[in-house]
Amino acid sequence: MSELAVAAEKLDAADELGGKRDGFVLDEVVYLDGNSLGALPAVVPGRVEDVVRRQWGELRIRSWEESGWWTAPERIGDRIAPLVGAAPGQIVVGDSTSVNVFKALVGAVRLAGDDRDEILVDATTFPTDGYIAESAARMTGRTLRPVTPAEVPGALSGRTAAVLLNHVDYRTGRLHDLPALTAAVHEAGALAVWDLCHSAGALPVGLDEHVVDLAVGCTYKYLNGGPGSPAYLYVRRELQDRFDSPLPGWNSHAEPFGMRPAYEPASGALRGRVGTPDILSLLALEAALEVWDGVAVEAVRAKSLALTDFFLQCVAEYVPEGRVECLTPVAHAERGSQIALRCDDAGEVMKRLIERGVVGDFRAPDVLRFGFTPLYVGFADVERAARVLAETLSLA
């Protein structure tokens, strides 16, 4: 057994989150793709069966009240709130990330006022955010300017209405400085909209502490809500009475069953609702979030950094020099919970890794991505992944 394998055993033995692994449905595969789709929490299948067979099959329409279906979007939002540093009453769950980005960005522009005619968007963003930002700019008559997060402070002006940024770069795993960038946006009189898809459930976010205006995020990555599970929208409490959603649906009406022709928005986070909630996915997500009971996000962050540090150590030891290049910052303050390695023929290399039981993913043209979900990834997984990577590259 190698020294690194022995070290992995010791680290796993001392891991305070190690017992959480039993709360997931896992096999012998090293699963390092939780930054795309989280593993299945073991409680979910039984809960979904109850929702389908009893709540829907037996109670039917009564479940909107008796099973709490109607209040699920805000109730589950309050379950997510501590994971992103928010007090209750500011998050509503529903719709996709893309839809919530649209709601948040157009809402932010409307809050900023008519005298601000420019939107800044992260030039390195996940493509959908850029597509939505471009459409939102056209619909609101604003100019869209793509800039990198590092360029944001210098690009801000009295023209800036809103800035849409990613907390963690989906491709490289770079963690951007949410507190400093939010403060700079506010100093310019604009509103900050953050995409938390690659940070929520992996590291502290501090939405309330850093006075973030609006935020969105998915729930199928580090929150393990299942494929296509509903996203969420955060609207800071102080802005809620002025938040003007561009998608005013009957579910966000002050009297949803009044069926009035004129729209009157509900109060609070409910303004972020649109149409009938996706109950099956919502309640699967609610069950999945139970794995977080008793878990501090700070402990998750500490393990995440330890896992990624150890992976980089193992890669440096096992992989021949010059065969891969790390795109993820080494500095902890700039690192999310993934490691991105540039590699020749990366697509083929990832296929071979998966065949050998190490699952990450590939991003064109040449990036291997490995996501580290601290609730179920251990240090032995990390050592094995680096060792198999080295063996695979030696055969390429």
Side-chain angles (χ1 to χ4, degrees), residues 4 13 24-25 59 65 81 97 102 113 116 120 136 146 148 155 159 171 215 292-293 300 305 314 332 377 383 390 393:
L4 288 172
F24 293 86
V25 177
L59 296 179
E65 181 177 350
T97 306
F102 178 75
R116 291 178 173 264
L120 302 184
T148 67
R159 294 181 55 196
R171 194 165 172 273
W292 289 93
D293 290 347
V300 170
L305 291 172
C314 291
H332 285 183
V377 172
E383 188 274 338
L393 291 173

Side-chain angles (χ1 to χ4, degrees), residues 30-320:
V30 176
Y31 189 66
L32 301 182
D33 209 7
N35 53 327
S36 285
L37 176 65
L40 172 65
V43 300
V44 171
R47 190 68 52 79
V48 170
E49 182 177 12
D50 176 72
V51 172
V52 172
R53 293 188 180 279
R54 183 182 63 86
Q55 296 182 30
W56 179 14
E58 298 176 14
L59 296 179
R60 293 178 287 274
I61 197 71
R62 292 163 53 194
S63 276
W64 284 106
E65 181 177 350
E66 295 180 26
S67 300
W69 288 1
W70 185 257
T71 58
E74 57 268 28
R75 182 178 72 243
I76 300 170
D78 285 346
R79 288 294 301 265
I80 292 172
L83 303 179
V84 293
Q90 298 175 100
I91 294 178
V92 64
V93 180
D95 305 311
S96 67
T97 306
S98 301
V99 171
N100 282 314
V101 168
F102 178 75
K103 287 187 281 187
L105 189 56
V106 174
V109 169
R110 290 176 173 178
L111 284 164
D114 294 336
D115 59 333
R116 291 178 173 264
D117 63 357
E118 185 174 72
I119 298 171
L120 302 184
V121 63
D122 183 348
T124 63
T125 188
F126 187 77
T128 286
D129 287 21
Y131 306 155
I132 296 292
E134 194 277 333
S135 180
R138 282 191 289 113
M139 292 178 67
T140 59
R142 267 63 176 183
T143 300
L144 183 69
R145 181 148 63 117
V147 295
T148 67
E151 294 170 333
V152 165
L156 291 163
S157 71
R159 294 181 55 196
T160 310
V163 182
L164 173 60
L165 292 164
N166 285 262
H167 197 190
V168 174
D169 186 295
Y170 80 99
R171 194 165 172 273
T172 66
R174 175 179 290 276
L175 172 65
H176 297 303
D177 192 341
L178 181 147
L181 288 169
T182 301
V185 171
H186 287 167
E187 188 174 352
L191 286 93
V193 182
W194 284 92
D195 182 329
L196 309 179
C197 285
H198 288 268
S199 59
L203 53 90
V205 177
L207 291 178
D208 286 355
E209 177 185 359
H210 304 303
V211 202
V212 168
D213 300 303
L214 300 105
V216 302
C218 66
T219 61
Y220 47 78
K221 300 183 190 296
Y222 297 109
L223 298 183
N224 311 295
S229 57
Y232 57 90
L233 170 68
Y234 165 91
V235 181
R236 180 159 56 89
R237 193 180 310 280
E238 292 79 5
L239 301 177
Q240 289 177 359
D241 63 346
R242 295 189 292 122
F243 176 67
D244 183 6
S245 173
L247 295 174
W250 77 283
N251 253 237
S252 62
H253 197 285
E255 295 183 59
F257 293 99
M259 303 302 167
R260 303 183 185 282
Y263 180 73
E264 179 185 347
S267 60
L270 273 65
R271 290 192 178 199
R273 292 175 66 152
V274 183
T276 304
D278 185 346
I279 293 300
L280 299 184
S281 291
L282 270 172
L283 298 188
L285 168 62
E286 185 172 37
L289 291 171
E290 291 179 10
V291 299
W292 289 93
D293 290 347
V295 176
V297 177
E298 292 75 15
V300 170
R301 175 60 168 166
K303 183 177 175 183
S304 166
L305 291 172
L307 288 168
T308 49
D309 279 343
F310 189 59
F311 182 67
L312 291 174
Q313 180 185 354
C314 291
V315 168
E317 177 71 22
Y318 291 151
V319 177

